[in-house]
Amino acid sequence: HLLSRRQRQMCIRDSTSIYRQIFSLSVKNFGGGIFRKNYPIFATYTTLNPFIMKKVLLIVAAILLASAVSAQNYEKNILGVRAGLNLSSLSLSESGVSLSSDSRASFHVAVVDQILLCNRLPFYLETGLAFSSRGGKLGILNFRPSYIQVPVLLNYHFNIKNVVTIQPFAGLYYGLGIGGKIKDKTSGEKADIFGDDGLLKRSDLGVRLGAGVVWKRIYFGLGYDIGCLNLIKESDGEGTMRNNCFTTVSYTHLTLPTT
C-alpha cells in the first residue's frame, strides 16, 4: 500500500521482461544447444524415423492380411450327396440276458450340409436328411425296417498339407420309421414291421460316432450308430430291442456359394 498505482505497474512490467529473457536464454542454451546439437540420440527418440515407421506398418498389414486370408480359407457351407453300405444288427435283452442278432447288409443315401461355426477354426455343424435301411436276422426272422433320419453332429477338419482332410465327428441322430417288413425265412410270409399291427415303434434315437477322410473332393467314412431307445412297442419293461449299425460312406461333396 506504500507504492502508488503507477509504481506497481512498472514493477510488474519489469518482472515480466526479466522472466521472458530467462525463458529465451533457457530455450537457446538447452533446447537448441545441448540436447539437439550435442546429443543426437535424443533427437532420434523424439523424432520418429520414417524408415522404421514403414517397416512397422508393413508388418502390421501383413499380420492383418494373413488373419483375413486364414479366416476365408474355411468353406462356410459344404453340401454332400452320400451313399454307403450299412451293416446293421439288433441288440436284445430280457431278464438280464443280452444277445445280438446276425448282421444285415443294406444301404443308405443322404444329403448333408456342413455349416461352419467359427471363422477362425474349421469347426462344423453337420445335419441333413437320409434314407437308411436297417434291421437284423434273428433265427428264422429277418427284420428289415426303413427310416428317414436327421443327424445333428459336430465335426472338426484336420487339414494335412492341403492334400488330405481328416474329419472326426460325434453327435446324435433321430430316425422315423416309414416302412419295412418282418419276413419268416421258412414260410416266406411277411408282416408289417410298423403300424397298428407292427412289432416296433416308429421313433429311433441314438448316438453316432466316426471319422471321415477327404481326398480330392471325395469322402470316405466309417461310422457307428448306437441305438438308445427300446424299439419294442409292447414291452413289460424287461425286454428291449435297440438298433446298432456300422456304416461305410463314400460321396462327392460340393461347396455352396457364400454371400
Side-chain angles (χ1 to χ4, degrees):
H1 302 283
L2 297 178
L3 298 177
S4 64
R5 181 178 180 182
R6 182 178 179 81
Q7 288 175 333
R8 288 199 299 271
Q9 290 178 349
M10 290 178 64
C11 289
I12 293 171
R13 184 171 60 252
D14 293 340
S15 299
T16 303
S17 177
I18 292 172
Y19 290 144
R20 287 178 178 175
Q21 291 178 8
I22 294 173
F23 180 77
S24 177
L25 181 62
S26 300
V27 171
K28 181 178 180 181
N29 291 339
F30 292 93
I34 296 176
F35 289 104
R36 295 192 179 181
K37 290 183 179 180
N38 299 335
Y39 296 92
I41 297 177
F42 182 82
T44 301
Y45 283 99
T46 55
T47 304
L48 294 176
N49 191 315
F51 181 72
I52 295 177
M53 283 297 298
K54 287 181 181 179
K55 276 191 171 182
V56 172
L57 291 175
L58 287 174
I59 293 172
V60 172
I63 293 173
L64 293 176
L65 181 61
S67 299
V69 171
S70 176
Q72 293 174 1
N73 278 341
Y74 303 132
E75 297 168 325
K76 292 185 178 180
N77 279 282
I78 303 174
L79 182 65
V81 179
R82 298 186 176 184
L85 173 68
N86 289 348
L87 294 176
S88 59
S89 63
L90 297 170
S91 295
L92 298 96
S93 66
E94 184 174 3
S95 302
V97 179
S98 299
L99 60 93
S100 294
S101 69
D102 294 333
S103 297
R104 174 177 179 262
S106 54
F107 71 97
H108 68 274
V109 292
V111 176
V112 177
D113 187 21
Q114 297 184 54
I115 304 168
L116 183 65
L117 296 178
C118 178
N119 289 330
R120 295 183 178 274
L121 294 173
F123 195 56
Y124 288 83
L125 171 68
E126 179 180 318
T127 187
L129 193 65
F131 170 84
S132 182
S133 178
R134 303 202 167 189
K137 300 175 182 179
L138 189 63
I140 61 173
L141 299 179
N142 190 356
F143 292 81
R144 298 184 294 180
S146 298
Y147 293 89
I148 292 293
Q149 293 183 331
V150 178
V152 180
L153 310 174
L154 295 176
N155 65 45
Y156 193 91
H157 294 190
F158 293 96
N159 193 324
I160 302 176
K161 296 183 178 180
N162 293 324
V163 176
V164 174
T165 303
I166 300 176
Q167 302 177 6
F169 60 82
L172 302 175
Y173 72 88
Y174 173 77
L176 178 65
I178 59 172
K181 299 289 184 178
I182 301 176
K183 181 180 179 180
D184 188 326
K185 293 184 291 184
T186 302
S187 63
E189 295 181 358
K190 298 180 181 179
D192 291 335
I193 202 168
F194 299 117
D196 295 336
D197 298 328
L199 177 64
L200 302 184
K201 301 175 184 177
R202 291 187 181 272
S203 291
D204 183 29
L205 178 70
V207 176
R208 179 169 296 173
L209 304 170
V213 176
V214 177
W215 175 73
K216 292 185 177 181
R217 313 296 292 180
I218 305 298
Y219 179 96
F220 303 93
L222 295 175
Y224 190 72
D225 291 355
I226 304 172
C228 298
L229 297 183
N230 182 8
L231 302 178
I232 299 178
K233 183 184 295 184
E234 297 179 0
S235 174
D236 55 4
E238 296 183 359
T240 63
M241 178 185 292
R242 293 182 174 85
N243 266 323
N244 294 318
C245 187
F246 179 80
T247 62
T248 63
V249 181
S250 176
Y251 75 94
T252 302
H253 68 273
L254 305 173
T255 302
L256 292 177
T258 58
T259 58

